[in-house]
Each structure stands twice: as structure tokens, then as C-alpha cells.
Amino acid sequence: MRKPRCKELKSRPRSWTCYVHRATFKFESTDEDKRKKLCEGIFKVLVKDVPTTCQVSCLEVLRILSRDKKVLVPVTTKENMQILLRLAKLTESDDSLEKVSEFPVIVESLKCLCNIVFNSQMAQQLSLELNLAAKLCNLLRKCKDRKFINDIKCFDLRLLFVLSLLHTDIRSQLRYELQGLPLLTQVLESAFSIKWTDEYESAIDHNGPPLSPQETDCAIEALKALFNVTVDSWKVHKESDSHQFRVMAAVLRHCLLIVGPTEDKTEELHSNAVNLLSNVPVSCLDVLICPLTHEETAQEATTLDELPSDKTAEKETVLKNNTMVYNGMNMEAIHVLLNFMEKRIDKGSSYREGLTPVLSLLTECSRAHRNIRKFLKDQVLPPLRDVTNRPEVGSTVRNKLVRLMTHVDLGVKQIAAEFLFVLCKERVDSLLKYTGYGNAAGLLAARGLLAGGRGDNWYSEDEDTDTEEYKNAKPKEELLKPMGLKPDGTITPLEEALNQYSVIEETSSDTD
């Protein structure tokens, strides 16, 4: 039997109206009633057995209209939600995704659901009633290892992210009932085409092609959904979950070592990976570094032997075949995190959102894992040779972090100071050597360490790293100098400030 023609939206191919309004997000209030009637008419068409092209055109118009919250009030019903679920293949049936001709309808239906669920509280409640999260997980499983349907996976994941963002109950359901952690981790594995060489190690092809735009978008949506699912994991971590978290951390290590189609997409990918790593229990972050293979160990030994004998500090860290090596461990991922942190500092804005997650991550990694701390100390606080300039003056990573210790944002300056303090094994004398007393005063005052000493955490004893330049300059340093405020509000040595106030008092008394 021939399907009825879609007379209601008979127009130019692929909906000329949608093309004109594809970037429309604000609507005139005078046309509100017309938009509501159009929405109602669209659902009357979608419930019928109309051609695929007509369904797609209707859904494209609905996607644009669903950006308007007021329009959604009368049309967000259980019946209409079920129509969209059916078109998106979000049903209880075991239908496979074989008909390529249906893919545009599925994608557009998922896009509509994303907008409707995000903009309508009624739709959010209906999502719970219709068990939408379980249906989305079922559709993801149908998409497994099917690279040619990345758009379906991408918007399925985006809808999972929206649901888990808006409902804490859905986060719990995804984590425990629907096994969302291994499912979403598998989605990432598929997007990155990971090949495992060991339990928690993957093969990295540094000369391989970048991720495609579709693979990158899929990965970003999966990372965001996983963030919501694991947001409280560091509080409720159980030993039985260690394996799954280590697998996820190993996948995230792989993520940090690959690139997207553009520099901006790579940064977005790595940013979401950093956010998710912050949810991983710190004990499971040991998989971010891994021992070298026998071949790599032999290469490292050769490289070390080639270095001059007076370059003892540099011998700790070598770069061989694009691999950052430290103390027999592959530090590529940590080096990527360090470079990511420095780029965020150089941006000079949005420090709280953009910088504090990676700084917090590096701080916790350094506190819990000795090799990571020693590598970062080597990179951020190398043996001090420049003793003539102030610690905050210069362009090194140390200089940049020291400048942040006096930032106006309390959270930013606290985490920057904490990171450097941990790299110094929470020893006050070591921190002062690299940052100066004035820059460190805020942290030391908060910890009750202005008189010296060390923090509460225990660290192994390392060898003395004082350079000859520092040893010669150390007796001449003025670590403590009393300061005061001049009448104009600027800081000056206390003696000079008191003299200026004395002059003012004498002048004032002469006038009287």
C-alpha cells in the first residue's frame, strides 16, 4: 500500500524553512500561538505512516520550535513523547539498526528529545516515567562497534548527559542498575579504536591520523555523560570497583595521547578527559604512568649514556622516540597534563573553570604517587640556578605558578600554592626557596606554618638538589623583612613607613 504524501509540509527539499531558521534561538511573542499550533500539527503528522522525507522535515521544524520553552507546554504529553521515542528506536523491541534510510529520522528524533527534555520540566518527569535512560543504554548497545552510525551514538549520549545532569536519580540508575560505567567506557574504546597491549596499557600510534570530527564529538559526549555518572565516585569508592576505574583511567590516558581534527577540538577533548580524571579515585590513577618495555628500557639506557656526565639532573628525564621517560616510567600522559595546565595559565582568563581542575588533578596525583611527584618537580621546579630575579618574574612554569599564588581569586591562588607545596614535599624551607616568603605567606598562614616546619603528609627523603648558585646566595637572602603601608596605601619597609607617619604627625601638630 502506498504511503500518503505529506501535504502539510509540502515544500522545498530538506525543509527550506529549517535552513533559514537553523540559527534561530529567540522567537517573537506575537507568533507564540502560531508556533503552538504548528507543533500540534507536526505531531499529528508524525503519528501517521508518512514517507521518511516527510518525517525528517517535520522533525527538523520541531527541533527548531523546541528551543522555545513556552511552545512546549501544551505539546509535551506522554503520547507525544512516545511518538518521538518510537521514531528514535527507543522502544522495548529488539529491532536492529539495519535500515540506513531510517537513520536521519532517528538522529532528528534524538535531537528533538534533547531540546524538549532540557527545556521542559514535564518532559523530564515523563522521561523518568518512561524509563528513558534504560532505553538510551539499550540503543547504545545496538550501536556497538557500528562506526557508520556515529550521529546516532552522539545524540544518544548527549541525551544521556542531559538526563543525568538534571536528575541525580538517573545518575544512580546509570551507575548501578544499567551498568553505565562499563558501557560508556566501551563507547570511548570504540571511538578511539583502542588496541590493548596489557591489562591497562593500550598501543599508541604517534604517527597515526587524528580522530575524525564524528569520533571526536562522540568521545566528548561520552566523557560528559561519564562525568555525571562518576561525579561522587571518590566518596563511595569500593575496592571491587578498582578494576573498572583503572580501565577507564587507562582509556583516558589514551585519550590524552591522541589528537582531534583541530587544535580547538583537541583541547575540548582533553579538557573533558581532565574533568573525568578528577572523579577517578586517586589510588587508580597509577595507570596514567607505566613501566617501559624491555626495548624502551634499552633505548633509555643508551640515551642516558650519551648525555654529558655533568648533566646529572637532566639524566632523570629523557625524550626518546616522542616518549617522555622518567626513572624507567613512561610519563607521556603526565607531560600532556602539564602542557595543558600551562596553556590554561597562558590564556589569562576563566581560571576557576579552566585551570583549577587540572591543577587539582596534578596535585592529588603528586601527593599519592611518588614517581609522578618527582617527575613534576623536575619539570616545574628544576634545580634553582637563577637567584637574581624574583620568583614571580619570568616565563617559566614556576614563574607563572608563583604569580598565581597572589591571584585575586581565592580558589585559584590556594590550589596553585598547594600544588607547589606538594611538589616541595610540604616542606616550608623548600617552598620558600622556590617561591619567596611573600608569595607563600597566604598558604603558610592558613596552615599555621609561618614559623616554618612541614605539612601533615609524609614523603620520602630525596637527595639534596641545591645548586652551587643557590648555596652561595642563600646566606645573603632576606627571607623576612617587616613591611608596612605608606599613607598612599603602597607597601614599603616598616621603618620607612613609620618615618613617613612621624613626619605627617609633626606637620599636623605645627599647623594646630
Side-chain angles (χ1 to χ4, degrees), residues 155-417:
F155 289 102
D156 183 303
L157 291 164
R158 183 171 298 178
L159 187 49
L160 267 180
F161 165 71
V162 171
L163 284 173
S164 56
L165 176 70
L166 298 171
H167 283 287
T168 54
D169 291 344
I170 288 181
R171 291 179 211 164
S172 180
Q173 182 191 17
L174 278 169
R175 174 74 188 277
Y176 300 107
E177 179 187 334
L178 301 174
Q179 296 298 302
L181 187 55
L183 174 62
L184 293 170
T185 302
Q186 288 168 6
V187 171
L188 284 177
E189 287 185 50
S190 176
F192 299 147
S193 302
I194 289 181
K195 295 179 181 178
W196 296 105
T197 58
D198 204 343
E199 188 176 21
Y200 304 121
E201 292 180 37
S202 61
I204 304 293
D205 183 4
H206 292 288
N207 298 318
L211 291 177
S212 69
Q214 294 81 9
E215 290 168 338
T216 307
D217 289 339
C218 258
I220 289 171
E221 295 301 334
L223 290 168
K224 286 157 56 177
L226 267 170
F227 178 86
N228 289 343
V229 172
T230 60
V231 71
D232 295 322
S233 295
W234 63 277
K235 295 180 182 177
V236 297
H237 173 54
K238 298 178 182 177
E239 195 61 34
S240 58
D241 296 332
S242 291
H243 171 68
Q244 188 56 56
F245 277 113
R246 278 192 162 87
V247 171
M248 186 174 76
V251 171
L252 294 176
R253 177 183 182 275
H254 188 101
C255 176
L256 292 172
L257 300 181
I258 57 179
V259 296
T262 65
E263 186 175 343
D264 287 344
K265 274 297 180 181
T266 300
E267 183 172 355
E268 185 181 359
L269 181 69
H270 289 176
S271 178
N272 280 284
V274 167
N275 292 339
L276 183 52
L277 279 168
S278 301
N279 289 349
V280 176
V282 70
S283 61
C284 298
L285 293 175
D286 55 349
V287 300
L288 290 178
I289 61 176
C290 56
L292 300 181
T293 64
H294 293 301
E295 294 79 7
E296 289 172 331
T297 303
Q299 289 176 349
E300 182 197 15
T302 302
T303 305
L304 290 175
D305 291 338
E306 291 171 356
L307 289 175
S309 58
D310 60 337
K311 298 290 187 178
T312 54
E314 287 81 349
K315 281 192 176 186
E316 289 293 333
T317 306
V318 295
L319 184 64
K320 187 71 173 177
N321 295 333
N322 294 322
T323 300
M324 183 64 67
V325 176
Y326 181 86
N327 199 23
M329 304 293 287
N330 185 320
M331 292 287 178
E332 287 180 285
I334 304 301
H335 194 246
V336 169
L337 290 173
L338 185 61
N339 288 337
F340 180 86
M341 178 201 73
E342 188 173 7
K343 286 180 182 178
R344 287 297 169 96
I345 294 176
D346 292 342
K347 279 191 172 182
S349 61
S350 303
Y351 280 158
R352 181 172 286 271
E353 300 80 13
L355 177 62
T356 54
V358 67
L359 260 179
S360 299
L361 175 63
L362 290 174
T363 302
E364 293 307 313
C365 284
S366 300
R367 184 178 278 124
H369 302 287
R370 180 172 179 265
N371 275 322
I372 294 178
R373 175 182 58 78
K374 292 188 70 176
F375 170 73
L376 288 172
K377 169 80 180 295
D378 184 71
Q379 297 291 306
V380 177
L381 302 176
L384 194 59
R385 300 187 186 281
D386 180 7
V387 293
T388 57
N389 291 317
R390 295 174 63 86
E392 66 271 21
V393 176
S395 59
T396 66
V397 182
R398 174 177 76 101
N399 303 141
K400 296 172 183 179
L401 286 166
V402 171
R403 287 197 288 271
L404 289 179
M405 294 174 77
T406 54
H407 195 271
V408 293
D409 189 304
L410 181 62
V412 172
K413 72 177 182 180
Q414 282 179 338
I415 190 58

Side-chain angles (χ1 to χ4, degrees), residues 419-436:
F419 176 52
L420 292 174
F421 196 40
V422 169
L423 293 188
C424 293
K425 297 185 293 185
E426 301 191 19
R427 287 175 45 185
V428 172
D429 58 343
S430 180
L431 180 69
L432 295 182
K433 178 173 77 171
Y434 288 105
T435 69

Side-chain angles (χ1 to χ4, degrees), residues 18-292:
C18 291
Y19 177 79
V20 173
H21 294 286
R22 66 191 183 283
T24 300
F25 290 89
K26 293 184 179 180
F27 302 89
E28 296 293 334
S29 57
T30 53
D31 296 330
E32 187 177 316
D33 289 337
K34 293 180 181 178
R35 292 196 299 276
K36 288 179 181 178
K37 289 180 180 179
L38 180 55
C39 278
E40 292 170 353
I42 287 173
F43 278 107
K44 289 178 181 177
V45 174
L46 291 175
V47 77
K48 301 174 183 177
D49 185 21
V50 295
T52 300
T53 53
C54 180
Q55 290 176 328
V56 172
S57 295
C58 288
L59 290 166
E60 285 176 338
V61 175
L62 181 62
R63 169 168 50 86
I64 294 171
L65 294 174
S66 61
R67 298 168 184 167
D68 182 1
K69 294 182 180 181
K70 295 180 180 179
V71 165
L72 294 177
V73 175
V75 296
T76 307
T77 64
K78 185 175 182 179
E79 185 179 83
N80 287 343
M81 286 287 285
Q82 287 174 324
I83 292 172
L84 291 176
L85 295 185
R86 175 178 57 81
L87 293 172
K89 298 296 181 183
L90 295 172
T91 59
E92 302 295 341
S93 67
D94 294 327
D95 294 344
S96 60
L97 300 175
E98 297 295 340
K99 296 182 180 178
V100 178
S101 61
E102 294 179 342
F103 289 179
V105 176
I106 299 173
V107 171
E108 286 300 326
S109 300
L110 287 169
K111 289 180 181 179
C112 290
L113 284 167
C114 286
N115 285 352
I116 292 171
V117 171
F118 183 75
N119 288 319
S120 169
Q121 289 187 348
M122 176 60 71
Q124 293 163 23
Q125 293 301 318
L126 288 170
S127 298
L128 292 173
E129 184 181 337
L130 295 168
N131 201 13
L132 180 53
K135 292 179 171 63
L136 287 167
C137 288
N138 187 43
L139 181 59
L140 266 185
R141 292 185 178 94
K142 294 179 183 178
C143 294
K144 186 179 178 182
D145 299 327
R146 301 281 297 280
K147 293 186 178 181
F148 56 90
I149 50 177
N150 271 328
D151 282 347
I152 295 177
K153 280 199 289 189
C154 185
F155 289 102
D156 183 303
L157 291 164
R158 183 171 298 178
L159 187 49
L160 267 180
F161 165 71
V162 171
L163 284 173
S164 56
L165 176 70
L166 298 171
H167 283 287
T168 54
D169 291 344
I170 288 181
R171 291 179 211 164
S172 180
Q173 182 191 17
L174 278 169
R175 174 74 188 277
Y176 300 107
E177 179 187 334
L178 301 174
Q179 296 298 302
L181 187 55
L183 174 62
L184 293 170
T185 302
Q186 288 168 6
V187 171
L188 284 177
E189 287 185 50
S190 176
F192 299 147
S193 302
I194 289 181
K195 295 179 181 178
W196 296 105
T197 58
D198 204 343
E199 188 176 21
Y200 304 121
E201 292 180 37
S202 61
I204 304 293
D205 183 4
H206 292 288
N207 298 318
L211 291 177
S212 69
Q214 294 81 9
E215 290 168 338
T216 307
D217 289 339
C218 258
I220 289 171
E221 295 301 334
L223 290 168
K224 286 157 56 177
L226 267 170
F227 178 86
N228 289 343
V229 172
T230 60
V231 71
D232 295 322
S233 295
W234 63 277
K235 295 180 182 177
V236 297
H237 173 54
K238 298 178 182 177
E239 195 61 34
S240 58
D241 296 332
S242 291
H243 171 68
Q244 188 56 56
F245 277 113
R246 278 192 162 87
V247 171
M248 186 174 76
V251 171
L252 294 176
R253 177 183 182 275
H254 188 101
C255 176
L256 292 172
L257 300 181
I258 57 179
V259 296
T262 65
E263 186 175 343
D264 287 344
K265 274 297 180 181
T266 300
E267 183 172 355
E268 185 181 359
L269 181 69
H270 289 176
S271 178
N272 280 284
V274 167
N275 292 339
L276 183 52
L277 279 168
S278 301
N279 289 349
V280 176
V282 70
S283 61
C284 298
L285 293 175
D286 55 349
V287 300
L288 290 178
I289 61 176
C290 56
L292 300 181

